[in-house]
Amino acid sequence: MNRIWSGIKNWLIAMGSPPLFYRWATSSLPWLAGLAFLMFSAGLIWGIGFSPADYKQGDVYRIIYIHVPSAILAESIYLLMAVGGFISMVWRAKIAGMLINSAAPLGAGFTLVALVTGSIWGKPTWGTWWVWDARLTSTLILFFLYAAIIGLHSSIENKTKADRAVSILAVLGVVIVPIIKKSVDWWQTLHQPSTFTLTSSPSMAPEMYLPLLVCVLGFYCLFVFMLSNSLRGEIISRERDKAWVKKQFFKQ
Amino acid sequence: MLDSLQILFLMDGNGPYVWSCLLILIIVTGVNIIIPIIRLNKISREGNLEE
Amino acid sequence: MKDRDDALNWFMLVLRRDLTLSFRRSATYITPLIFFLIVVTFFPLALGPSQSLLSSMASGIIWISALLSSLLAVEGIFSEDYRDGTLDQYFVSSEPVFVLIFAKVLCHWLVCGAPIILASIISSIFLYLPSGALIALIISLLLGTLFMSLLGALGAALSLGKSAILSAIIVLPFSIPTLLMGTAIMSAAINQQDYSGFLLIMGAMLAIGIPGLCLLTVEAILLNYE
Amino acid sequence: MSNILKVKNLNCQRSGKVVLQGLNFEVEAGKNVEIIGSNGSGKTTILRLLLGFINDYDGDIYWNDSEVPSKLQEKDIHCFYQGHQIGIKPLLTVYENLKFSSSGFNSSEEEITSVANKVGIKTFLNRQSASLSAGQKRRIAIGRWLLKDFNLYLIDEPFTTLDDEGVELIKGVVTELNNRGASFLITGHRPSELNSKKIYLEVENER
């Protein structure tokens, strides 16, 4: 058993050094892409195409197969950035700072998808484009947290200093996010909640629930692929004048 | 075959909403995938800074 | 006599250079947008999500946030040029300097005005603004943000190198007429009345503001040269 | 010989300290004048005074042999000013820094590339100026001198951060522009090899 465990540990440490990560990412990118595309499309096709229609909302509930996975992913990316921030603050690992800087736009993208699909979902069901529902409001605030991280990073020229500043914000953010969610829920109950909330849909029948699970897994695989893709670009642009970049990237 | 696609597309009136959500998802993720690739091409074209 | 195309030449030079610079730095036009949306999100959080309450106050909230974010965006309009010496070139050229200052403010308005208007459309959804008022909102904000950019440029010139909050205090009282005109237009539009009268007044304020405020900005910049 | 600029007993005080006292010099058309002095001896004040940035001075400045003292802007003189800060925008590329300058705006692409070639920055033309060294940025500034014909060049310490090759470049550029009738008023810490009339300023406390 501990052989496997030490294998994983070495792999993690290897990932800590940019050249090794770059080589691993370049070699495994096509596989990740294939896996991501497979899982992602399987989940969506199953969810949108074949799962039965909801008795109350009809077919429009199928948006759940896009809205819920991207909302879940948005929050877990923020958690990942907080872990990266913690590592970069404690061990000063350069790769952790780069991880935050490449994961932030992805997280912002998924939060945006969650917001827009949420408001599109609201239009047929409640007639207005936007509802100040607890989940949507906390997703909107999460979007501002992502904007804060991206804004702070782009405003500092010296990239290593920018990484340290952003990791502080990421670690602080992960403490704030649950507090925000609780306070928004409390805010929701304080103002006599509108009679419905978006995703507390009644216990879903298994044939609706399974595609959702596959979709969430598909989204995670998609994220792993996108992260290694953008982290690769980040490493090259950061270590551009290093020897190993010349050897591996410019093939001189 | 054709009419089942028709039903799939229309989804009794709610079709456009579902498909626009899918479109937004594809656009946003597509942009997030393409930007790093463009950045890498720009760097490899510019070559390293020495020369 | 100096041929007229020289002044136009300089105007285009300043405009094109600042446009290229602003598009290179994406932060310049995203920050006002995000600031605007955050300020607008605070109101439902503070006052409750009830639709009727929010839609009755929507135009006021949107207008105040638009003023504040366009003012915030205009803070550092001159600081970079003042620091690296390009501002001196304006005075060396024998062209009227206030024309060049207007070129800079116009470029800033193009870069920061558009995101603010986009953000106001998004926030009209957030705050359930009655649908008739959207066009009036966009027109009044177009004029309003231009006037605020001019005013903010004067504030930035006066507080060049000093603390940024000072320029806000200097400039905000002067933006009250714009705010009143804007909200008057909005309430007229909501009650389906004709609001062209207010638009004309705002246009007149701009007609006086563009040359007047630019001349004052030139004086304010010259203060830092003695 | 017609004088493009004549300065008669110029006195100027800045915040209580006497900066200039009884300064007289002329700049002939096509000739160069160098004002040499240590820091705080008023070199930059002279340039800013000529440009009209500073107005509280006594003494007279005559432009283009006119008997009546006047401001630079009132005379039809094409003047180029380069201060301590050379105004290179790090976010713009080298080409854009040349194009968007007072001299280079309506010059064609060939002119700009040929000037860039002459000052040795042709290979960096479409690279962002942030990644250039201080010496290379100075070459962009020198490139701007060549892009348009000016009557008078007011340059504040052109030789800082320049290697010998850069100094040679400036000598070549200055002589070339002199032949075209332009005159230079340069400030510096030490006299340079340029063929120019040298004027020494003493700092107030050494007197």
Side-chain angles (χ1 to χ4, degrees):
Chain A
M1 179 47 199
N2 55 21
R3 208 163 38 73
I4 303 163
W5 169 245
S6 62
I8 294 168
K9 204 147 59 64
N10 301 347
W11 183 74
L12 274 180
I13 293 167
M15 284 306 118
S17 78
L20 289 176
F21 179 86
Y22 174 75
R23 197 176 305 122
W24 172 80
T26 329
S27 61
S28 64
L29 212 56
W31 299 101
L32 287 175
L35 177 70
F37 182 72
L38 195 70
M39 290 291 292
F40 176 71
S41 38
L44 281 183
I45 289 168
W46 185 3
I48 292 180
F50 299 101
S51 77
D54 181 64
Y55 62 93
K56 199 150 53 85
Q57 294 181 356
D59 282 308
V60 97
Y61 97 100
R62 293 182 195 287
I63 298 180
I64 196 175
Y65 294 112
I66 302 173
H67 174 77
V68 167
S70 43
I72 293 172
L73 199 58
E75 267 152 35
S76 34
I77 293 176
Y78 207 89
L79 195 66
L80 175 75
M81 289 203 308
V83 168
F86 183 74
I87 294 172
S88 120
M89 272 196 333
V90 170
W91 289 292
R92 287 284 182 276
K94 279 211 307 294
I95 193 95
M98 295 180 198
L99 176 95
I100 297 178
N101 190 25
S102 48
L106 308 185
F110 281 113
T111 326
L112 195 65
V113 167
L115 281 174
V116 174
T117 47
S119 90
I120 289 177
W121 192 350
K123 181 67 181 153
T125 35
W126 301 298
T128 63
W129 281 107
W130 178 263
V131 161
W132 287 101
D133 144 79
R135 268 186 60 76
L136 273 181
T137 319
S138 40
T139 321
L140 181 65
I141 296 168
L142 187 64
F143 180 73
F144 292 145
L145 293 183
Y146 275 113
I149 286 194
I150 298 171
L152 176 65
H153 198 277
S154 67
S155 69
I156 300 175
E157 268 74 29
N158 170 345
K159 284 309 161 205
T160 35
K161 233 186 270 155
D163 283 349
R164 299 231 328 257
V166 159
S167 40
I168 295 165
L169 210 55
V171 167
L172 165 70
V174 90
V175 175
I176 295 290
V177 163
I179 297 173
I180 288 178
K181 284 175 80 65
K182 283 291 158 282
S183 49
V184 165
D185 290 343
W186 170 79
W187 164 73
Q188 185 73 19
T189 54
L190 179 70
H191 293 282
Q192 310 88 24
S194 46
T195 55
F196 32 74
T197 48
L198 208 56
T199 48
S200 69
S201 47
S203 64
M204 295 168 67
E207 66 275 12
M208 290 189 202
Y209 195 75
L210 274 176
L212 186 59
L213 207 60
V214 173
C215 274
V216 171
L217 274 178
F219 269 64
Y220 270 109
C221 298
L222 180 68
F223 170 66
V224 169
F225 160 64
M226 288 164 80
L227 181 68
S228 50
N229 174 24
S230 69
L231 194 50
R232 226 175 119 236
E234 185 71 24
I235 289 174
I236 292 299
S237 80
R238 281 283 185 81
E239 316 235 313
R240 183 171 172 154
D241 39 28
K242 288 274 192 344
W244 69 271
V245 172
K246 270 203 275 303
K247 196 155 44 56
Q248 282 197 14
F249 184 70
F250 295 117
K251 305 280 183 302
Q252 272 126 355
Chain B
M1 180 47 194
L2 194 61
D3 59 359
S4 77
L5 272 184
Q6 190 70 21
I7 297 163
L8 177 74
F9 182 72
L10 273 187
M11 277 190 202
D12 56 54
N14 291 336
Y17 295 115
V18 179
W19 297 119
S20 55
C21 291
L22 195 64
L23 188 69
I24 284 158
L25 174 73
I26 289 166
I27 291 172
V28 173
T29 26
V31 164
N32 267 338
I33 291 174
I34 288 166
I35 287 181
I37 295 174
I38 294 173
R39 219 168 92 168
L40 268 180
N41 291 350
K42 202 158 78 70
I43 291 177
S44 66
R45 252 205 330 279
E46 249 169 29
N48 46 38
L49 287 172
E50 268 58 39
E51 102 281 1
Chain C
M1 230 334 266
K2 270 257 161 311
D3 36 13
R4 264 307 110 225
D5 83 339
D6 234 351
L8 190 64
N9 237 327
W10 265 90
F11 188 87
M12 289 314 294
L13 158 67
V14 173
L15 197 62
R16 274 185 55 194
R17 178 185 59 194
D18 278 359
L19 278 177
T20 6
L21 260 173
S22 312
F23 286 132
R24 289 275 158 78
R25 255 194 303 257
S26 61
T28 43
Y29 48 85
I30 290 177
T31 341
L33 181 76
I34 300 287
F35 176 79
F36 191 117
L37 288 176
I38 292 178
V39 168
V40 163
T41 326
F42 276 4
F43 283 93
L45 288 175
L47 305 169
S50 84
Q51 200 158 338
S52 58
L53 174 74
L54 285 178
S55 73
S56 66
M57 304 192 303
S59 57
I61 296 173
I62 293 178
W63 251 93
I64 292 169
S65 329
L67 283 193
L68 291 180
S69 47
S70 71
L71 185 75
L72 171 112
V74 87
E75 273 335 301
I77 187 171
F78 295 121
S79 55
E80 200 215 343
D81 278 0
Y82 177 67
R83 237 194 354 261
D84 68 16
T86 22
L87 215 52
D88 310 343
Q89 300 298 334
Y90 293 3
F91 295 96
V92 170
S93 82
S94 42
E95 300 315 318
V97 183
F98 80 95
V99 172
L100 308 179
I101 301 287
F102 177 61
K104 233 176 140 43
V105 172
L106 187 64
C107 156
H108 177 272
W109 176 61
L110 292 175
V111 167
C112 292
I116 285 177
I117 288 166
L118 172 69
S120 65
I121 294 168
I122 298 171
S123 27
S124 70
I125 296 171
F126 279 174
L127 300 171
Y128 313 110
L129 184 74
S131 57
L134 195 57
I135 305 117
L137 173 74
I138 293 173
I139 300 171
S140 59
L141 270 182
L142 271 175
L143 299 174
T145 39
L146 178 56
F147 194 83
M148 274 314 292
S149 292
L150 286 161
L151 217 50
L154 177 60
L158 282 172
S159 69
L160 208 57
K162 291 191 262 308
S163 83
I165 197 70
L166 182 69
S167 82
I169 296 166
I170 295 166
V171 155
L172 273 181
F174 298 98
S175 63
I176 288 172
T178 324
L179 178 67
L180 294 184
M181 281 307 129
T183 30
I185 289 174
M186 293 298 295
S187 54
I190 289 171
N191 314 338
Q192 276 84 32
Q193 288 148 356
D194 167 27
Y195 50 84
S196 53
F198 299 119
L199 276 184
L200 290 177
I201 296 173
M202 264 187 118
M205 279 181 352
L206 267 181
I208 303 162
I210 288 178
L213 285 171
C214 287
L215 280 168
L216 294 179
T217 314
V218 170
E219 274 312 302
I221 292 175
L222 273 177
L223 285 179
N224 298 286
Y225 273 87
E226 255 73 40
Chain D
M1 239 344 245
S2 79
N3 293 336
I4 187 165
L5 163 67
K6 193 148 148 311
V7 167
K8 242 153 118 277
N9 58 47
L10 204 61
N11 301 322
C12 173
Q13 272 162 353
R14 293 296 298 282
S15 57
K17 196 160 77 68
V18 173
V19 176
L20 296 178
Q21 186 117 42
L23 186 65
N24 292 293
F25 67 90
E26 309 97 38
V27 179
E28 285 144 31
K31 290 282 181 293
N32 309 327
V33 168
E34 248 187 274
I35 299 177
I36 295 127
S38 61
N39 287 344
S41 57
K43 305 197 296 299
T44 313
T45 318
I46 294 173
L47 293 185
R48 298 184 84 89
L49 209 133
L50 292 176
L51 288 162
F53 291 164
I54 302 169
N55 296 321
D56 58 358
Y57 62 88
D58 40 37
D60 303 322
I61 303 175
Y62 303 93
W63 295 97
N64 267 352
D65 303 329
S66 75
E67 299 322 319
V68 173
S70 66
K71 283 176 77 71
L72 162 66
Q73 277 77 5
E74 284 138 18
K75 286 288 178 232
D76 192 5
I77 294 176
H78 284 300
C79 175
F80 179 89
Y81 169 66
Q82 179 188 307
H84 277 298
Q85 310 290 348
I86 47 177
I88 302 287
K89 298 277 182 193
L91 278 174
L92 291 180
T93 64
V94 173
Y95 178 81
E96 280 158 353
N97 266 313
L98 286 171
K99 174 86 174 156
F100 296 134
S101 67
S102 53
S103 49
F105 189 55
N106 31 30
S107 43
S108 67
E109 187 161 348
E110 297 77 29
E111 281 162 6
I112 292 182
T113 16
S114 77
V115 161
N117 202 5
K118 207 179 286 181
V119 287
I121 45 173
K122 186 165 187 315
T123 50
F124 310 118
L125 260 186
N126 33 36
R127 185 175 294 168
Q128 282 213 336
S129 318
S131 60
L132 297 184
S133 72
Q136 287 158 337
K137 284 181 185 145
R138 280 277 161 183
R139 287 167 181 267
I140 301 178
I142 296 167
R144 284 177 172 166
W145 304 354
L146 288 162
L147 278 169
K148 194 171 130 193
D149 285 341
F150 290 92
N151 312 103
L152 176 64
Y153 288 84
L154 302 175
I155 314 287
D156 206 339
E157 288 176 21
F159 295 105
T160 52
T161 72
L162 269 184
D163 47 21
D164 307 343
E165 206 189 316
V167 174
E168 284 312 312
L169 175 69
I170 287 190
K171 271 167 70 180
V173 165
V174 167
T175 28
E176 182 192 338
L177 288 171
N178 284 142
N179 309 343
R180 293 198 214 148
S183 35
F184 275 77
L185 179 57
I186 292 180
T187 64
H189 292 296
R190 291 179 311 283
S192 73
E193 301 97 7
L194 285 177
N195 57 34
S196 61
K197 200 164 54 181
K198 310 279 195 287
I199 298 169
Y200 292 87
L201 292 179
E202 300 91 24
V203 183
E204 194 243 336
N205 38 39
E206 274 162 22
R207 221 195 308 276

